[in-house]
Amino acid sequence: MFKPGDGPLHEWLAGALADVTPDGFRVAEPVCTREGAWVCHGWSATRWVEGSEPDHSAMSTWQEILAAGRAFHRAVAHLGRPDLLDRRQDWWARADRAVWGERDIRFRPEFAAVARRLQDAPEPLGRPQIVHADLTNNVLFAPGRAPAVIDISPYWRPPEYAEGVVVADALCWHSASASLLETVDVSVASVARALLFRMATTNERVASGADRADLKDEARRYALATAALGL
């Protein structure tokens, strides 16, 4: 499968994944050129993996996505932090730094009240490592096969943060019930920080003029998810 490459960071990720042994998951293995490069003329390639998106209305789906993510994070825990992460200036990277206190952010009026409620909840979540912070729609399932983890979005954060993003997405966009937190054993603090991350990303997109998101609808979703956390 071909897709636009992500420059040096993708080069690093592709090389790192080539040395990772999957256990409990599959990956879309990167394919290099004859010259050994992972990106060519702005494009990268991975091998096709069998699988399809799961039924997000089923509670078991979220358990399976999180289990795949945990297996993936165990397998990449030995990888060091690439300095290339510091060079990222996309919306997601800026939003991520903001919710970890590494840069300032001023939330739009639609998000401000919910952000204040969430900002009291985040706390340290453990040792940072390379994580895939966008697992929700990037785990595929096939009968008789381990789940496939695709389109890896690398961040240097605790694995629980990545799990919080999954639960936040489930609450906001897939009508999951508040009982999901107890079922999957993910902390309120991790989900609160993940909700801030998703809000901050929209904040960055809108501020750049690249997005005309329905901010009232998003704010409503985040407020409902925040209430589900008891905040």
Side-chain angles (χ1 to χ4, degrees):
M1 183 174 119
F2 292 95
K3 63 179 290 186
D6 195 20
L9 183 57
H10 178 81
E11 290 267 3
W12 173 85
L13 180 61
L17 288 178
D19 293 327
V20 168
T21 302
D23 182 7
F25 68 97
R26 293 173 291 143
V27 292
E29 296 178 5
V31 179
C32 65
T33 66
R34 292 176 181 173
E35 291 74 29
W38 298 106
V39 176
C40 183
H41 299 296
W43 289 83
S44 63
T46 56
R47 299 190 186 281
W48 179 83
V49 290
E50 180 184 0
S52 57
E53 289 190 10
D55 176 7
H56 287 105
S57 67
M59 184 78 75
S60 60
T61 288
W62 302 106
Q63 294 172 304
E64 291 167 354
I65 290 173
L66 288 166
R70 288 165 180 163
F72 173 81
H73 292 142
R74 286 193 297 270
V76 300
H78 66 285
L79 297 178
R81 184 185 188 281
D83 293 338
L84 295 167
L85 289 174
D86 296 328
R87 303 179 198 171
R88 287 183 58 190
Q89 293 299 326
D90 53 75
W91 303 319
W92 298 272
R94 294 198 301 268
D96 170 73
R97 293 184 191 118
V99 302
W100 284 90
E102 296 169 5
R103 65 182 292 268
D104 293 331
I105 186 171
R106 183 174 182 178
F107 281 101
R108 297 182 61 84
E110 295 87 349
F111 296 153
V114 178
R116 284 193 294 270
R117 291 160 60 189
L118 291 167
Q119 284 166 338
D120 290 335
E123 59 187 42
L125 297 177
R127 184 180 68 84
Q129 64 165 77
I130 285 293
V131 299
H132 185 342
D134 194 22
L135 287 161
T136 302
N137 292 313
N138 288 311
V139 179
L140 305 180
F141 295 87
R145 306 289 302 276
V149 177
I150 65 172
D151 285 347
I152 296 163
S153 297
Y155 293 79
W156 187 256
R157 300 300 181 197
E160 194 173 357
Y161 176 53
E163 295 174 15
V165 173
V166 173
V167 176
D169 290 345
L171 293 172
C172 287
W173 305 104
H174 297 282
S175 304
S177 70
S179 64
L180 177 64
L181 274 82
E182 297 178 2
T183 302
V184 299
D185 191 27
V186 175
S187 73
V188 167
S190 66
V191 182
R193 199 183 293 268
L195 287 168
L196 283 169
F197 168 56
R198 289 305 198 202
M199 276 200 301
T201 302
T202 298
N203 222 67
E204 293 293 328
R205 296 200 318 263
V206 173
S208 73
D211 197 333
R212 295 183 179 181
D214 185 342
L215 297 180
K216 288 185 178 180
D217 179 64
E218 283 205 28
R220 177 187 63 81
R221 292 174 183 272
Y222 294 132
L224 289 172
T226 300
L229 300 181
L231 301 175

